[in-house]
């Protein structure tokens, strides 16, 4: 029987087996991985605890901190009540999909005064405006100005209903309408603008017509009187006599006359008084040969050319009866003068300001032909309205205030920007990264993930 010393491998002092070094290296590698794994587990655990502590701290901070809040569309009105009572935000942002009511706009504008920063953005309608003003006219019409984007369809109405409509070719439209009642409303492709009834009215005086007795003076005076103007006239029939209408003594000032019509050389009687009258605000309409009277040059916007011969009525002039008039074209327009009417390439009517007054110079001769020859279907009315428009363009008509009930907003978008500032980017500016509500769920998920990773690692290595 063999002793232990005789067995293969020997006894206690026998040499080590060849595979033992390899096993020790493997064991050492396992121990290193084990220590690394434990380190990662502890790191994940500590990171999870840090995130949980951060979330708890943020929750406690949020109980005392003033948040940044946001509201959109119809929620803005309700949110304003909360922001001003139960919540005191540090910063608010309103997303507006239409021009808000003045009360909402003013509420937003008041928040910065209470310590809350306010911003806004959104798709509001295109810039637009509505204005109404009185016209210097005995029939007391109103001129309504509408500014909007090209191509818009404008419909005007007052408190009695619709009054007019039109499509906008440029960036606005002008309407001259009969007497309007109450506030004026304009509907522009779904957007509604409202302006007050007329805040003021105008005071008009008489008109003075001066010239040789004849068809021209007779029908100019008739057109103005038929439109409602009170007319004084001086028609020369001979060196020693005039046909007079009105007071025997002419006192040329704005307290008596809103404008003067000078038809021909007879106006030289008043040429020395006209500059002062016009510079104080009086209106002046100068026709044809009156442009050649010495002393008138300084008042006129242009020089008067050699008149063409009048043409007889022809069918092709029916759409534009004034083409049948004799015309001395107006040329060399002075600086500040504008062409009010053209005939082909020639200026037929021009206007400009002199001091506080306005002057219109007419190159046409014998405008009475329009009315007498029946140059269109309603020649009498059209002749009357043309002269009424010239009169309204120059008439001295001081304004006086009228009582208006209530206030409306004729330029809502412009007033919105002026009141609460220009639109800001849609993204709300955050005071800190933790104010972003999208970050908190990510932090919570990361904390849970780290805890789960540590737990799984412990389970897999058998540590419980």
């Amino acid at each position: 029987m063999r002793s232990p010393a005789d067995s293969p491998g020997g006894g206690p002092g026998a040499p080590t087996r060849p595979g033992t070094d390899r096993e020790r290296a493997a064991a050492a590698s396992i121990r290193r991985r084990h220590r690394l794994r434990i380190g990662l587990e502890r790191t994940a655990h500590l990171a999870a605890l840090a995130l949980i502590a951060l979330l708890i701290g943020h929750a406690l901070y949020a109980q005392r901190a003033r948040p940044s809040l946001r509201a959109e569309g119809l929620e803005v009105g309700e949110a304003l009540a909360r922001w001003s009572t139960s919540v005191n935000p540090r910063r608010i942002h309103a997303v507006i999909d239409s021009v808000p009511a003045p009360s909402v706009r003013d509420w937003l504008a008041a928040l910065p005064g209470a310590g809350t920063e306010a911003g806004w953005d959104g798709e509001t309608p295109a810039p637009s405006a509505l204005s109404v003003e009185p016209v210097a006219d005995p029939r007391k019409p109103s001129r309504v100005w509408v500014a909007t984007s090209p191509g818009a369809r404008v419909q005007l109405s007052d408190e009695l209903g619709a009054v007019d409509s039109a499509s906008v070719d440029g960036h606005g439209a002008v309407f001259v309408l009969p007497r309007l009642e109450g506030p004026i409303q304009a509907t522009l492709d779904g957007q509604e603008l409202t302006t007050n009834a007329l805040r003021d009215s105008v005071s008009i005086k008489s008109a003075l017509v001066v010239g040789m007795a004849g068809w021209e003076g007779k029908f100019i005076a008739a057109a103005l009187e038929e439109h409602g103007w009170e007319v004084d006239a001086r028609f020369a029939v001979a060196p020693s006599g005039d046909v007079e209408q009105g007071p025997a003594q002419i006192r040329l000032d704005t307290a008596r006359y809103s404008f003067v019509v000078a038809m021909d050389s007879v106006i030289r009687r008043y040429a020395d008084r006209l500059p002062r009258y016009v510079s104080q605000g009086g209106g002046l309409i100068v026709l044809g040969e009156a442009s050649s009277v010495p002393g008138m040059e300084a008042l006129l916007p242009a020089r008067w050319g050699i008149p063409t011969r009048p043409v007889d009525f022809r069918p092709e002039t029916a759409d534009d009866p004034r083409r049948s008039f004799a015309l001395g074209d107006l040329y060399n327009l002075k600086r500040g003068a504008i062409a009010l009417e053209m005939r082909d390439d020639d200026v037929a009517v021009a206007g400009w300001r002199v001091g506080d007054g306005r002057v219109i110079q007419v190159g046409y001769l014998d405008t009475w032909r329009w009315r007498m020859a029946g140059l269109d279907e309603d020649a009498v009315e059209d002749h009357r309205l043309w002269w009424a428009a010239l009169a309204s363009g120059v008439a001295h008509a001081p304004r006086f205030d009228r009582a208006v009930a209530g206030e409306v907003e004729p330029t809502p978008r412009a007033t919105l920007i002026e009141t609460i500032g220009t639109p800001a980017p849609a993204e709300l500016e955050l005071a800190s990264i933790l104010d972003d509500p999208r970050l908190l769920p990510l932090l919570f998920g990361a904390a849970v993930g780290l805890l789960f990773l540590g737990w799984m690692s412990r389970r897999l290595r058998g540590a419980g």
Side-chain angles (χ1 to χ4, degrees):
M1 185 175 188
R2 293 182 178 182
S3 66
D6 298 330
S7 61
T16 305
R17 294 180 180 179
T20 302
D21 292 338
R22 199 178 304 118
E23 292 173 355
R24 278 203 301 269
S29 176
I30 291 173
R31 287 194 296 271
R32 285 195 300 272
R33 288 198 300 270
H34 182 74
R35 287 194 298 270
L36 179 61
R37 188 169 186 173
I38 293 175
L40 291 176
E41 289 174 3
R42 291 175 178 174
T43 301
H45 186 69
L46 291 174
L49 291 178
L51 288 176
I52 293 173
L54 179 63
L55 291 172
I56 293 173
H58 183 270
L60 295 175
Y61 168 78
Q63 296 297 318
R64 297 181 301 169
R66 298 170 60 198
S68 296
L69 302 176
R70 179 188 186 96
E72 299 184 11
L74 297 177
E75 299 176 356
V76 172
E78 299 175 359
L80 283 172
R82 295 195 307 272
W83 296 340
S84 303
T85 54
S86 59
V87 181
N88 183 22
R90 177 177 64 255
R91 182 182 291 106
I92 63 96
H93 191 86
V95 180
I96 299 172
D97 55 7
S98 62
V99 176
S103 59
V104 173
R105 178 199 67 207
D106 295 339
W107 202 336
L108 285 169
L111 287 175
T116 298
E117 298 179 27
W120 74 282
D121 70 286
E123 296 295 330
T124 56
S128 54
L130 174 65
S131 177
V132 59
E133 65 179 13
V135 178
D137 189 293
R139 296 185 180 182
K140 298 183 178 180
S142 300
R143 184 178 290 110
V144 180
W145 303 80
V146 181
T148 186
S149 56
R153 180 71 181 177
V154 180
Q155 181 171 340
L156 294 179
S157 59
D158 62 7
E159 62 183 17
L160 299 182
V163 292
D164 204 349
S165 63
S167 294
V168 177
D169 293 331
H171 290 276
V174 181
F175 301 83
V176 178
L177 303 171
R179 187 187 298 257
L180 299 171
E181 298 294 336
I184 313 305
Q185 185 178 76
T187 303
L188 313 173
D189 291 339
Q191 180 189 4
E192 292 186 354
L193 304 178
T194 304
T195 188
N196 290 98
L198 281 172
R199 290 181 170 275
D200 51 14
S201 188
V202 293
S203 173
I204 59 174
K205 306 299 180 181
S206 300
L208 175 63
V209 181
V210 179
M212 297 292 294
W215 293 112
E216 184 75 321
K218 174 182 177 179
F219 286 116
I220 290 175
L224 295 174
E225 287 178 328
E226 290 164 359
H227 196 74
W229 288 99
E230 181 180 339
V231 177
D232 292 347
R234 288 295 183 271
F235 295 140
V237 293
S240 58
D242 292 342
V243 174
E244 298 180 354
Q245 178 173 303
Q249 195 71 23
I250 295 296
R251 184 165 57 92
L252 193 59
D253 60 43
T254 55
R256 173 64 185 173
Y257 297 112
S258 287
F259 65 96
V260 175
V261 179
M263 298 190 304
D264 47 47
S265 60
V266 178
I267 195 62
R268 66 164 45 100
R269 301 178 184 178
Y270 310 100
D272 59 336
R273 285 178 276 174
L274 278 174
R276 182 174 179 272
Y277 167 75
V278 173
S279 64
Q280 292 179 346
L284 176 63
I285 302 175
V286 179
L287 277 74
E289 295 177 0
S291 300
S292 303
V293 172
M296 296 287 288
E297 295 87 351
L299 298 177
L300 301 179
R303 296 178 63 86
W304 187 55
I306 299 174
T308 60
R309 294 182 58 186
V311 297
D312 296 329
F313 171 70
R314 291 173 294 179
E316 58 267 24
T317 66
D319 293 335
D320 187 4
R322 293 187 292 280
R323 293 189 66 84
S324 67
F325 298 164
L327 173 68
D329 66 298
L330 306 179
Y331 64 97
N332 287 352
L333 265 64
K334 298 177 182 177
R335 183 170 182 174
I338 59 174
L340 301 177
E341 184 174 322
M342 302 289 295
R343 192 163 88 177
D344 298 328
D345 295 330
D346 296 327
V347 178
V349 182
W352 75 332
R353 290 184 177 272
V354 177
D356 292 332
R358 288 171 288 186
V359 178
I360 288 180
Q361 186 178 11
V362 180
Y364 294 125
L365 294 175
D366 298 332
T367 65
W368 61 269
R369 292 174 177 272
W370 189 352
R371 183 164 177 153
M372 285 292 288
L375 297 186
D376 57 15
E377 293 182 359
D378 198 354
V380 174
E381 176 67 10
D382 291 344
H383 174 263
R384 181 188 305 136
L385 292 177
W386 187 72
W387 270 103
L390 293 178
S392 296
V394 299
H396 174 68
R399 297 191 179 191
F400 58 89
D401 294 336
R402 297 173 55 181
V404 176
E407 289 289 335
V408 295
E409 182 50 65
T411 57
R413 190 178 190 276
T415 305
L416 175 69
I417 294 175
E418 180 183 6
T419 304
I420 65 176
T422 55
E427 282 295 324
L428 179 60
E429 182 184 353
L430 301 172
S432 73
I433 191 171
L434 291 178
D435 285 336
D436 191 338
R438 298 170 297 181
L439 182 62
L440 298 180
L442 295 177
L443 293 177
F444 178 76
V448 172
L450 289 171
L451 288 174
F452 180 76
L453 180 64
W455 176 78
M456 284 295 297
S457 178
R458 288 173 60 85
R459 293 288 293 175
L460 291 174
R461 67 183 176 84

